[in-house]
Amino acid sequence: MRLHALLLLWISAAAAASRPPLDTLGIPPQDEAYFRGGVIRCRDGSGKFTRDKLNDDFCDCTDGTDEPGTSACPEGKFYCQNAGHSPITIFSSRVNDGICDCCDGSDEYGSNATCKNTCWEAGKAAREKMKKKIATYKSGVVIRDQEVEKAKVAFAKDKAELTKLKSEEKILQGLVDKLKEQKSLIEKAEEEERLRKEKEEKRVKEEAEKQAANEKKAPDASQEVDSQKTHGNVQEDESKVADHHDGHASHENQTPENELSVVQHDPEIQDDTSIKAGPVDESPPKDTSAEPTKEQEPTPVNSEDLSREELGRLVASRWTGEKVDEVSKDDKKEHEAEHDMPEPSEEALEDELDVPEPAEDSYSGYRSEVEDDRHKFDDEDFPNESEDEYVDDHDDHVESYKSDDDQKADDHSDLTASGQASWLDKIQQTVHNVLQTFNFFKTPVDLSEASRVRKEYDDASSKLSKIQSRISTLTDKLKHDFGWSTWCHTAMRIFLSYRSHKQGKEKEFYYFYDRCFESKEGKYTYKVCPFKKASQVEGHSSTSLGRWDKFEESYGAMEFSNGDKCWNGPDRSLKVRLRCGLNNELNGVDEPSRCEYVAVLSTPALCIEEKLKELKQKLQVMSSNQAGHDEL
Amino acid sequence: MDPSPRPRLIPLLLLLLLSFSSPAARAWKKDEFRSCNQTPFCKRARTRGPHSLDAPLSLDAGSLFVSSDGSLTAVLTHPSRLRPLLLRLSALPPHALRLQIDEDYSTNTPPHRRFQVPDVLLPDVEARTLHLSEPKTAGGVSTLALSSDVDVVVKHSPFELTVRLAGSGDPVLSFNSHGLFDFESLQEAKAEGETWEEHFRSHTDTRPRGPQSITFDVSFHGAYFVYGLPEHGSTSLALRPTRGPGVEESEPYRLFNLDVFEYLHDSPFGLYGSIPFMIAHGDGASSGFFWLNAAEMQIDVLAPGWDGAASTENGRIDTLWMAESGVVDAFFFVGSEPKDVIKQYISVTGTPSMPQQFAVAYHQCRWNYRDEEDVAGVDSGFDEHDIPYDVLWLDIEHTDGKRYFTWDHSAFPNPEEMQRKIADKGRKMVSIVDPHIKRDSSFHLHEEATAKGYYVKDASGKDFDGWCWPGASSYPDMLNPEIREWWADKFSYENYKGSTPTLYIWNDMNEPSVFNGPEVTMPRDAIHYGDVEHRELHNAYGYYFHMATADGLLKRGEGKDRPFVLSRAFFAGSQRYGAVWTGDNSADWDHLKSSIPMVLTLGLTGMSFSGADIGGFFGNPEPDLLVRWYQVGAFYPFFRGHAHHDTKRREPWLFGERRTTLMREAIHMRYSLLPYYYTLFREASLTGIPIMRPLWLEFPDDKETYNNGEAFMVGPSLLAQGIYEDGQKSVSVYLPGKELWYDLRNGSPYKGGVSHKLEVTEDSIPSFQRAGTIMPRKDRFRRSSTQMVNDPYTLVIALNSSRAAEGELYVDDGKSYGFEQGAFIHRHFVFADNKLTSTNIAPDNPGNKKFSTDCVIERVIILGLSSAAKKAIVEPGNQEVGIELGPISLRRGSSSVAPTVRKPNVRVVDDWIIRIA
C-alpha cells in the first residue's frame, strides 16, 4: 500500500532523473551482483531476507542491507549515479526527505521535492575546478621537485658540514689537549722559574740589605712578576668557573640542611616549645606560617571600593574572561583616553629577548670566520646585530622570509665550505710549529714563546667551543622531522610503504626550517616559523601561539603548542593545515575555540605527484560519467 | 580572536586581575549575595518563636460576611495596629481556596499602597470563583464549605485558618497554626531617630517606604515531603528542611531572581527564577500552597521538633514564608493525588504554551558561533555525521556591540541569507535579545526608549543607568503594558532588520542582571510604572520581559506562528510564554546530577518546558561526562547543548568515532520519541502535567519514589535513570508499581516494585517502558524534525499482566494555531484481547478546521506477546500482514527479540483494528 503510494507520488512528481527499478534502487553498480539471489544475507550477518523485501520500505537488516533505496533503515546508504557528474553515496536519511542531495535528483523519487537534474552543470563546474586543481598540482609538483632537490642538497651540505665539523672537532680537540699540556709544562716551568727567581731575589735583597745599599734595580724581575700576576688571574678565572660548578654542587648539598631546618620549624615541635615557654609566647606558630601563604594568594578584590562602572566591568569579566581594564571595542569612543594608555613595554622586551633562541646566539658569532682571521676570533667582534634585524626588518607585505637564524647558518656554511680547509691546516701548522719549538724548551722560559703557546691555546679552545656549538645547532636542526626518511627505520618504511603518496618522505619541509610565514588578519599579524614557533603580533606586542610541536595528519598539518597562557583558557596553540599551492601563503587564521588557533598554509610542498595522479584519475572518471550522460 | 591584551599599568585594575587568575576566585561569590542574617526582614522573622508575636492578629467576628461577588470578607486587627487588615476568602473549583489580605487604607492612608502583582493570574480567575455560602460561626470559630469534600475552619483569635477534609475532619493545610503571621503596616513617615536605609556592601537601599514585610507559617498535614519553590541548585527532589533539629544548613530557600556566576549545584540560595509554589505529598493526600508575591521571599522548611514540640503530628510539615513586601494573595490547593494539585495551580496561573515541533527537537548553541562561515560549518558538521538537529543559536556576539536587534555586519553580513540556508534544511535559528539596552545616542532603540520615558527609573527619578554586556545600559519598564506593546513591535520584520520567519528568540539576563548593582541586579529602590518599587516586582521582571517578547513573535507571525522564546528568568505563569533553562551550570558530574531535580521541580511548578545546558556551560566536560549528559539530556523537555566561549568546541562529533556514535544515538533516541514527546506537550498544554515527571506523580502511593531525584518519568510510559558518576560500573534502579518494565534498548523485562542492580553500559542510561503502555515513535532519522513530517510511525506496545496496554498520539501541523480550531488529530490506542484498536479522542466538536496526514504506521512492536503469533489481520479491509521477530530499535547489531507486525501501513488519522491472528 505504502509502496503504491510512493510509486504514484513518484510518477506524478516531475523528477528529472529516472528512477531505477527496485532491485537496483540506491545500489552501486559494483554491488548489484550481491542482490541477485532469491535470499539475500544482511551484510553484517545478522539475518537474511527474501528478494521481495529488497527496497520494500521496511527495515529488515539493522545494517540497512535490504533498503539501499529507501529511508527505512537508519544505517543504510543510498547510491546516486549522477550521470554527468560523480556518483555519490548518501545517508539513507536523505532519501525522500524533500531536499535534493543527488544532482540527478534520484534521492527524491518519492517526495514532494522537484529536483532538477543539475549533474551536467555541476559536473562541468566540478570538472573545471578539477582541471584548475590539476593545473595547480602540475606546476606545484615541479616547484616541489625543485625544492626537494634543493632541500636534498642543503641537507647533504648540512650533514657534510656536520661530519666535517665533527672531524675538525676531533683534530682540534687533540691540538687543544696538546697545547694545554704544553701550557701546563710552561706554567710549571715558569713557576719553578718564579720560585727560583724569588729565591734569587730574596737572596739578592738580603745581600743588598746586608750591603745596605739603596740602589733600585731589577726592572726585568718586576716585569716578570707582572706577567705572572696576569697569568695568575687567568688561572683564577678558570678556577672560578670550577668553583661555580662546585658551588652548584654545594648548593645541592645544602638542600638537606634546609630540609632539616624546615623540620625544625614543624609547628608541632614549636607547639611543644611554646608550651614549655609558657603563656608568654602568644602567637601560635601556625598563624605565622599561614600568613605568608595568605599574602601569596591574590589580594581579594574589595569591590566596595570600586566605582559603579568598575564594578560592572569586574562582574562582567567573570563571564567573558576579559581583562577588567580592557574596554570593550564598542566603547572606544567613550573611553579613548584609556586606550591611549601606553602599552607596557615589559612583554615586548621579553619578546625581543626571546628571539633568537639562546642556542642560536652562540653560533651567530661564527660569521666572523668569513674573514678567516683567527686573530679576530673574538666574541666582541660579533655584535648581536642579527637580533635587531629580526625585530626591525620584518615587512608586513612579505609573506615568507628566511628566518635570521638560518641566514646566519648559511653565512656560516659558506665560510666553512671554502675557507675551512686552510684554517684548520694553518692552525695545525702553527700548533705544530709551536710544539716543535717547545719540544726542547729550556729554562728560563722564553717569554715570547710562552705567550705564543698561551695565545694558541686560547684561540684553539675558543674555536673548539664554537665548533662544538655549531655542531649542536646543526644536530638540533638535523634531528627535526623534515620528512620521515630522516628518522624512520627501514622496517618502518616498508611497513608504511602502502601509503601511496610521498608526503614527508623527501625532506620537502627542509627549507621550511629557514622560513617564517606571515598573514595579516585585521589588527593582528600572524607569524608562523616552522620547527620554531608561531606568534600573533599586534603593534609592538607579540603573543606566542606556541612552540613547534610536530607534524600531524601524515604531514598534512603542523602543530605548535604551549604558547602563552590564556586567561581562563588553555595555553595557546596553533594548528596549520597544509594545502597544495604554488606559493607559500599563510591564510585563514581562525580561532574556533578560545585560544586554539587554526590556519591554512598553501605550499608547493603539498603538491604531491601521487595526489596529482589521483586527481587525474578522478577527472577521468568524471569525464567518463559525462560520456555516460552524453549517451543518454 | 582577541589575544586578551596585556594589562595596562593601572595598579588597581592590575590588582583586580590578579585576583581573577586564581581558580578559587572563580567560584561562587557567596559574599556578594545577602544571607538571611544580612536581610533584616528575614532575620527578624526567622528568629521569632511560635506564638510569640507582640500583636497577634484577630478576626473581628462582626465584620465577617459574604459579599456580593460570593467571596467572604472580614477584618483582621489588633488594638496596637495602625491600620486594620482586610481579609478576603474565595473558592475556586474543585478544591482551591484563595486567601487575600491587604491593609485597610480607608482609615489611615499611607503615601503608597502595597503592590499586587498584575497579569499573572488568568483573567478569568475571578469569574470562576464560587459563591460561598454563609459560614457557620460558633465559639470563636467559623466554618465554611469549599466543596462537598473540603471545608475551611477559621479560628478568630488569634486568626488561624485550616483547610480540611469535610468527611473525616482531617486537616490538609493550615495557615498561622504556629502564630507567626506578621504583617508590618506601611508607615507614613519615619519615627524620630529611626532609619529605614539598608546597606549591603557598597550599596545603599534607601527604602523610602519603610518596613512592610509579611511573614506567616503554613503547615502541610499528611505530607511526607514538600517539593517546588524553584529555582535552586539541588541534588534532592524533595525540599530538605532548612531549620530545626539536625539541620546544619541554616539558610532558608531564597526566591530572588539572580544572575549567579558559577552557581552551586546544591544550595538554597536563589537563582534565576522564582515560583512561590509548594507541593506536599503523602500517601493519602496531596496539597499545594501558592503565594502570588513578586518581592524577595525566603521560605523555611522546618524539621520536626523545630518548635520545641516533643512529638509532632504524624506526617506534618511546617513551613515559614517571609516576603519583603507585597500583600497576601495565596492559594491553598487540595487534591486526591498530586496531579490534581498541579492542575489547580495551572488553573490559576495558566497552561504551558504549545511549542512548535522544532522546539521539542535538539538545539545547538554556543557562546558564540562567530560568523556566517562558522554557522555554515557547524550546520554541515551535523549533516556530515548524520546527526539531526533543529535549531542553531546565536549568542550576544552576533550583535553590533551588544545592541540587540542589530547584527555585527563584519561577522554576519547577510543574516537573512544565512537563515534561509539553514531554513532550506528545515532548520531554524535563534538569536538573543536581552533587556539591557545600550546607552548609546546613536542607537535608535535607546533614543526612542529615552524619549518616550520607557526606562525603569532610579530612586532619584532619572533613567536607571546600570552596567551589563554593552557597558552602560538601561532597562525598559516591562511592568507597563504600553511598554510591553512597544517592545513586542520591535520584533516585526520591519523593525528587526535581518530577521526572518525562521528566527526565534532567546531572552537572557532578565532577572534583570545588572553587573554593578547590588547582588548583580537592579537596586530595590528603582521605580517602575505606577510608582512601584523594584523590590515589589523584582521576581516578575523577567516574566514581563518574556511575555512581551513572546507577544512580539506572535504579532510578527500575525498570530499564526507559535512563538518560541527561551527565558532564563521566570516567575509563576512563565509557562504561558515559553521555555526556560537552568542557566549557567558547570561541566561537572554534580551539575549533571542536580539538573534532574531542578528540571523535575520546574515541571511540578508549571514550567514543563525546561532543560539544563548539555555538557555544562562553564568549563570543559570530560568526554565521558559529555556523552552521559547527552544521554540524560535527551530526555529533558528542552534539549539544548550550550557552552561558554572559553571552552573547547564540543559539537558531538569532536570526541572520536565511538563517542560520536554514542551522542548520535542519544540524539536519535530523542528524535524517535518526538511523536511521544509532542503528545506529552499537548497534555501539558491542556493540564499543566509536566513532560518530565517525578516517579511519585505517576505512582503517588509508592513511598519508595517520594524522594527519588535520580530517576524520572517521561510521561506515563517511560522511566529513565541518569548515570551521574564517572566510570560508574553498576547502578541501582527502583522500578515502581506492580507491572513489568521493558528495557528500551533490548526489550528485556524487569519486575516492578523492586530495586534492580544493573550493570552500567556506555551506550545508554537505563531506560524502560512501563508495561501497559503504548508509545508512538518515528524511527527514521532525518536532518531535522521537519523532514520527518511524512515519515511512518512505529508503535511500541508493552503488555501488562492483563495482556493489555494503551497510549495516545497527538499530531498537528507542528507550527500554527490551527489546533485551537480543531486542526489536529488525537488518537487513543488500546491493546486488549489480542487486538490493537485506534480511536479518535479529539473532542466531538473541536472546531471548524481539520488536520490530516498520510502518515502510516509501518511497524507495531509488541513486548510481552507470545512469539508464536505469526500474522495479523488489519481492519477495515481484512488485509493480512506478517508478524516477525524484530529488534526494539534499528541500531546496527540489535537483535531480533520482539514480535513485530510488519507493515500494517494503516493511516494514523483513521480508525482501525489490528487483530493478532
Side-chain angles (χ1 to χ4, degrees), chain A residues 234-480:
Chain A
V234 172
Q235 276 191 319
E236 234 179 274
D237 281 348
E238 277 173 4
S239 70
K240 262 183 192 162
V241 172
D243 264 343
H244 187 66
H245 284 282
D246 286 357
H248 261 294
S250 65
H251 189 74
E252 278 159 32
N253 287 339
Q254 273 170 14
T255 322
E257 275 176 36
N258 285 342
E259 275 172 10
L260 233 136
S261 68
V262 169
V263 169
Q264 281 173 350
H265 282 283
D266 187 281
E268 274 184 49
I269 295 171
Q270 283 213 352
D271 267 354
D272 281 349
T273 36
S274 67
I275 287 165
K276 278 175 202 156
V280 185
D281 188 357
E282 279 194 21
S283 65
K286 271 177 189 165
D287 277 4
T288 44
S289 67
E291 251 174 40
T293 354
K294 225 179 188 176
E295 273 169 11
Q296 275 167 6
E297 268 173 31
T299 322
V301 190
N302 189 356
S303 61
E304 315 199 10
D305 294 340
L306 300 180
S307 75
R308 282 277 174 268
E309 181 176 330
E310 283 165 342
L311 180 62
R313 288 182 192 282
L314 171 87
V315 173
S317 71
R318 288 174 191 159
W319 279 272
T320 58
E322 275 166 28
K323 312 265 164 135
V324 188
D325 59 330
E326 195 204 352
V327 178
S328 72
K329 290 169 218 157
D330 333 310
D331 291 327
K332 271 183 190 150
K333 277 178 222 154
E334 294 101 307
H335 300 280
E336 252 163 7
E338 257 177 273
H339 264 285
D340 288 343
M341 292 290 294
E343 296 276 338
S345 50
E346 298 161 331
E347 298 259 0
L349 252 166
E350 242 179 67
D351 258 282
E352 280 170 34
L353 291 174
D354 251 26
V355 186
E357 320 272 344
E360 290 148 7
D361 273 352
S362 50
Y363 77 83
S364 68
Y366 232 75
R367 178 158 42 171
S368 63
E369 275 189 313
V370 194
E371 273 87 54
D372 193 24
D373 186 342
R374 64 180 193 272
H375 294 293
K376 282 189 188 167
F377 214 111
D378 220 345
D379 273 344
E380 288 99 80
D381 285 348
F382 308 104
N384 256 350
E385 309 162 312
S386 53
E387 283 180 20
D388 301 328
E389 274 166 30
Y390 189 85
V391 174
D392 292 337
D393 83 1
H394 79 75
D395 183 339
D396 282 342
H397 307 289
V398 177
E399 257 142 2
S400 86
Y401 51 87
K402 289 191 158 198
S403 79
D404 305 282
D405 306 338
D406 298 286
Q407 281 173 6
K408 291 169 220 156
D410 281 356
D411 291 350
H412 172 79
S413 51
D414 283 350
L415 284 176
T416 47
S418 57
Q420 164 256 13
S422 49
W423 74 258
L424 191 62
D425 284 352
K426 263 188 191 170
I427 207 168
Q428 272 183 285
Q429 191 56 50
T430 316
V431 173
H432 184 74
N433 292 342
V434 168
L435 294 180
Q436 279 230 319
T437 323
F438 274 80
N439 259 348
F440 37 93
F441 76 92
K442 4 163 182 141
T443 41
V445 179
D446 181 325
L447 274 181
S448 70
E449 286 304 316
S451 73
R452 199 175 148 210
V453 168
R454 274 196 279 274
K455 187 163 182 0
E456 287 305 330
Y457 170 76
D458 288 349
D459 285 356
S461 60
S462 140
K463 187 128 197 168
L464 177 63
S465 79
K466 301 218 181 256
I467 284 181
Q468 282 166 338
S469 110
R470 174 65 182 157
I471 286 172
S472 106
T473 306
L474 268 179
T475 311
D476 271 358
K477 178 179 179 182
L478 294 176
K479 84 177 177 213
H480 273 294

Side-chain angles (χ1 to χ4, degrees), chain B residues 76-87:
Chain B
L76 295 178
T77 192
H78 182 274
S80 69
R81 274 194 86 83
L82 182 65
R83 220 173 285 122
L85 299 175
L86 287 179
L87 170 145

Side-chain angles (χ1 to χ4, degrees), chain B residues 80-371:
Chain B
S80 69
R81 274 194 86 83
L82 182 65
R83 220 173 285 122
L85 299 175
L86 287 179
L87 170 145
R88 180 174 184 257
L89 283 174
S90 50
L92 274 159
H95 309 297
L97 174 74
R98 182 180 185 185
L99 168 68
Q100 290 164 279
I101 303 173
D102 195 354
E103 300 197 54
D104 180 356
Y105 302 106
S106 59
T107 50
N108 178 315
T109 314
H112 305 277
R113 291 197 165 204
R114 287 172 173 272
F115 178 67
Q116 303 192 30
V117 188
D119 305 314
V120 168
L121 296 182
L122 290 180
D124 67 344
V125 164
E126 279 299 327
R128 283 189 278 130
T129 55
L130 299 172
H131 202 287
L132 289 171
S133 51
E134 284 294 334
K136 290 170 197 145
T137 302
V141 172
S142 301
T143 308
L144 101 155
L146 205 58
S147 67
S148 55
D149 309 321
V150 177
D151 58 21
V152 180
V153 178
V154 181
K155 201 176 123 197
H156 298 178
S157 185
F159 169 70
E160 184 185 330
L161 183 152
T162 305
V163 181
R164 60 176 200 187
L165 299 179
S168 62
D170 289 342
V172 181
L173 290 150
S174 54
F175 179 92
N176 201 31
S177 56
H178 287 82
L180 290 167
F181 178 35
D182 186 28
F183 199 114
E184 292 180 311
S185 283
L186 283 173
Q187 298 168 52
E188 273 177 66
K190 283 193 277 279
E192 192 78 17
E194 189 185 7
T195 176
W196 287 348
E197 279 188 3
E198 282 182 5
H199 300 273
F200 180 65
R201 295 170 72 87
S202 63
H203 304 278
T204 299
D205 176 2
T206 57
R207 288 178 91 233
R209 300 174 193 185
Q212 46 182 310
S213 74
I214 301 173
T215 307
F216 52 76
D217 58 280
V218 174
S219 296
F220 299 85
H221 303 264
Y224 287 58
F225 293 100
V226 287
Y227 311 87
L229 298 185
E231 180 171 45
H232 304 98
S234 181
T235 53
S236 165
L237 175 60
L239 291 166
R240 286 186 283 244
T242 53
R243 190 146 69 89
V247 177
E248 278 175 37
E249 178 60 69
S250 66
E251 286 295 316
Y253 292 101
R254 186 180 189 202
L255 291 182
F256 194 62
N257 293 2
L258 289 174
D259 182 3
V260 182
F261 180 74
E262 299 194 336
Y263 68 76
L264 300 180
H265 75 278
D266 205 359
S267 160
F269 280 93
L271 293 180
Y272 312 96
S274 298
I275 300 180
F277 174 45
M278 192 182 269
I279 298 182
H281 181 61
D283 55 357
S286 297
S287 59
F289 177 76
F290 166 50
W291 183 8
L292 175 58
N293 188 325
E296 177 180 7
M297 205 181 278
Q298 302 261 12
I299 299 113
D300 264 322
V301 174
L302 303 157
W306 69 277
D307 52 357
S311 69
T312 49
E313 174 196 336
N314 201 18
R316 191 191 79 214
I317 295 177
D318 300 326
T319 58
L320 178 68
W321 300 64
M322 305 159 264
E324 188 185 11
S325 61
V327 296
V328 176
D329 189 356
F331 293 81
F332 301 81
F333 305 112
V334 181
S336 58
E337 58 159 3
K339 284 182 182 175
D340 284 349
V341 176
I342 294 173
K343 284 177 186 167
Q344 290 181 84
Y345 168 75
I346 291 296
S347 79
V348 297
T349 57
T351 51
S353 59
M354 183 67 195
Q356 294 201 30
Q357 175 69 70
F358 80 81
V360 180
Y362 178 62
H363 301 253
Q364 181 66 34
C365 187
R366 177 179 176 82
W367 177 20
N368 211 87
Y369 290 124
R370 297 180 322 270
D371 50 30

Side-chain angles (χ1 to χ4, degrees), chain A residues 1-3 44 53 56-60 62-63 66 70-75 77 91-99 101 112 298-306 308-331 333-335 338-339 341-344 346-348 351 521 523-524 526 536 538 541-543 564 566-570 572 589-597, chain B residues 1-10 12-13 15-22 26 29 32 201-204 259-262 366-367 370-371 374 382-386 400-403 424-426 438-439 442 467-471 513 515-517 520 568 584 617-618 644-649 665 668 779-783 787 790-792 854 856 858-859 879 884 887 889-894 900-905:
Chain A
M1 241 170 91
R2 167 78 174 151
L3 199 62
D44 65 359
K53 288 181 178 171
D56 72 341
D57 204 28
F58 185 88
C59 188
D60 294 288
T62 50
D63 71 351
D66 63 313
T70 75
S71 60
C73 291
E75 305 265 6
K77 297 278 181 341
F91 295 116
S92 64
S93 64
R94 313 293 201 254
V95 177
N96 292 328
D97 70 345
I99 298 167
D101 291 283
N112 295 329
T299 322
V301 190
N302 189 356
S303 61
E304 315 199 10
D305 294 340
L306 300 180
R308 282 277 174 268
E309 181 176 330
E310 283 165 342
L311 180 62
R313 288 182 192 282
L314 171 87
V315 173
S317 71
R318 288 174 191 159
W319 279 272
T320 58
E322 275 166 28
K323 312 265 164 135
V324 188
D325 59 330
E326 195 204 352
V327 178
S328 72
K329 290 169 218 157
D330 333 310
D331 291 327
K333 277 178 222 154
E334 294 101 307
H335 300 280
E338 257 177 273
H339 264 285
M341 292 290 294
E343 296 276 338
E346 298 161 331
E347 298 259 0
D351 258 282
E521 308 256 337
K523 57 177 174 173
Y524 302 116
Y526 293 89
Q536 179 193 49
E538 182 193 8
S541 80
S542 167
T543 306
D564 284 349
C566 209
W567 193 90
N568 226 0
R572 287 177 175 77
V589 186
D590 200 357
E591 189 188 358
S593 285
R594 192 165 172 85
C595 299
E596 293 181 356
Y597 296 79
Chain B
M1 205 160 298
D2 198 302
S4 299
R6 300 168 201 311
R8 291 176 177 80
L9 299 172
I10 304 168
L12 170 70
L13 295 173
L15 197 74
L16 296 181
L17 257 167
L18 281 171
S19 71
F20 281 122
S21 46
S22 107
R26 290 195 69 210
K29 307 263 184 309
E32 293 182 10
R201 295 170 72 87
S202 63
H203 304 278
T204 299
D259 182 3
V260 182
F261 180 74
E262 299 194 336
R366 177 179 176 82
W367 177 20
R370 297 180 322 270
D371 50 30
D374 197 2
F382 278 94
D383 290 344
E384 279 157 30
H385 297 89
D386 205 21
D400 173 16
K402 320 296 186 308
R403 294 169 187 87
D424 281 350
K425 293 180 186 169
K438 187 176 170 71
R439 296 188 57 82
S442 67
W467 195 273
C468 208
W469 298 131
S513 180
F515 290 155
N516 58 354
V520 199
R568 192 170 69 183
D584 298 348
F617 177 68
F618 289 113
H644 186 275
H645 67 19
D646 280 347
T647 63
K648 284 172 174 290
R649 289 279 168 144
E665 282 178 359
H668 274 178
D779 288 349
R780 303 187 183 199
F781 313 114
R782 305 295 197 169
R783 286 181 176 88
Q787 290 92 33
N790 296 315
D791 281 340
D854 288 327
V856 299
E858 64 169 336
R859 180 187 295 106
Q879 188 204 344
E884 292 175 358
S889 73
L890 297 177
R891 291 188 313 136
R892 191 183 286 263
S894 304
T900 300
V901 182
R902 205 177 178 283
K903 292 173 78 178
N905 288 1

